[in-house]
């Protein structure tokens, strides 16, 4: 994965009720480390968020955590944050999201709550507006994101999504395919080809 230097992962700071989400996040983190790619994420050390960073750290990879000052005590501990090789503390959520965008070559959404949803929708919106062409992958583990896919399809059918080819992320149910799909999309973009939409539900 020579074209990808960093991947931003959006995910929940809670573990959720399905233990496979945490396991998959850890697996993704280890895969990111093996690929020699830097993880950029929200800095939390708990839940799904903590599992993906732990996977990268266990694999000897590099982690950049970007977290607003007011969230440190809620989503992390000071001792655990010292394990990250880069920690960026922002003043607010807007600065955090902008910095995560700037520092990332691709985006992955794992299961999470409304914060994860908001980050994913924003990055999709920026794609629709032509602000970036970076790959976006939704890890649709156990059908977690099926309701969002249905809603996006409904919005498109009703004529509310313009340039809809930019608002269809790569969707896969297999955590092992996340990095290969990013690599494939990046290669197509680099070669000047039109990125194909891949949906694996």
């Amino acid at each position: 994965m020579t074209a990808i230097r960093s991947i931003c992962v959006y995910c929940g700071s809670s573990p959720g009720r399905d233990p496979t989400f945490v396991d998959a996040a850890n697996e993704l983190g280890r895969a990111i480390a093996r690929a020699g790619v830097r993880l950029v994420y929200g800095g939390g050390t708990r839940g799904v968020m903590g599992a993906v960073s732990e996977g990268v750290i266990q694999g000897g990879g590099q982690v950049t955590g970007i977290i607003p000052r007011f969230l440190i005590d809620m989503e992390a501990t000071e001792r655990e944050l010292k394990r990250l090789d880069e920690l960026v503390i922002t003043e607010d959520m807007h600065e955090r999201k902008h910095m995560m965008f700037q520092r990332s070559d691709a985006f992955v959404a794992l299961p999470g709550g409304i914060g994860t949803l908001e980050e994913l929708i924003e990055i999709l919106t920026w794609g629709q507006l032509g602000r970036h062409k970076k790959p976006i992958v939704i890890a649709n583990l156990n059908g977690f994101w099926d309701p969002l896919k249905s809603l996006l399809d409904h919005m498109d059918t009703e004529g509310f999504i313009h340039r809809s080819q930019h608002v269809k992320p790569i969707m896969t149910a297999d955590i092992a395919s996340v990095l290969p799909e990013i690599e494939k999309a990046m290669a197509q973009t680099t070669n000047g080809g039109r990125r194909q939409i891949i949906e694996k539900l």
Side-chain angles (χ1 to χ4, degrees):
M1 289 187 65
T2 55
I4 300 288
R5 297 163 299 173
S6 58
I7 293 175
C8 176
V9 177
Y10 301 130
C11 53
S13 58
S14 298
R17 292 185 176 141
D18 187 338
T20 63
F21 296 160
V22 169
D23 293 341
N26 189 265
E27 181 182 342
L28 177 62
R30 285 183 275 115
I32 289 172
R34 284 195 302 271
V37 175
R38 174 176 288 274
L39 169 68
V40 177
Y41 84 121
T45 58
R46 300 166 184 161
V48 180
M49 198 181 284
V52 68
S53 66
E54 182 64 26
V56 178
I57 292 169
Q58 288 171 349
Q62 296 181 313
V63 180
T64 294
I66 303 176
I67 188 168
R69 192 177 306 279
F70 75 93
L71 276 182
I72 290 177
D73 290 336
M74 287 186 272
E75 295 188 352
T77 67
E78 187 174 344
R79 179 182 61 82
E80 291 170 327
L81 285 173
K82 289 179 180 178
R83 299 178 66 209
L84 309 183
D85 62 276
E86 183 182 23
L87 176 65
V88 180
I89 299 175
T90 65
E91 294 305 315
D92 55 42
M93 296 291 285
H94 296 292
E95 183 183 2
R96 175 205 219 180
K97 290 187 293 182
H98 185 64
M99 193 169 292
M100 289 170 76
F101 169 75
Q102 287 184 313
R103 292 193 174 212
S104 303
D105 297 320
F107 305 91
V108 177
L110 297 177
I114 56 175
T116 303
L117 176 63
E118 188 265 345
E119 289 171 322
L120 173 59
I121 293 299
E122 183 169 66
I123 211 68
L124 288 171
T125 301
W126 291 357
Q128 178 181 239
L129 295 173
R131 304 309 298 168
H132 75 90
K133 294 182 180 179
K134 300 176 182 181
I136 303 169
V137 175
I138 296 177
N140 191 28
L141 308 177
N142 294 342
F144 181 85
W145 292 107
D146 282 351
L148 176 63
K149 182 182 183 301
S150 296
L151 178 59
L152 290 174
D153 289 344
H154 176 65
M155 289 175 173
D156 191 16
T157 299
E158 293 296 324
F160 287 104
I161 294 183
H162 308 290
R163 301 174 71 204
S164 61
Q165 69 273 18
H166 299 293
V167 194
K168 289 185 179 176
I170 300 162
M171 192 170 283
T172 178
D174 179 14
I175 200 70
S177 72
V178 169
L179 266 63
E181 293 291 7
I182 290 174
E183 187 176 23
K184 186 188 303 182
M186 199 73 173
Q188 290 170 346
T189 300
T190 301
N191 294 334
R194 193 171 184 176
R195 178 162 69 91
Q196 300 298 311
I197 306 305
I198 303 171
E199 295 183 342
K200 294 181 179 178
L201 295 175

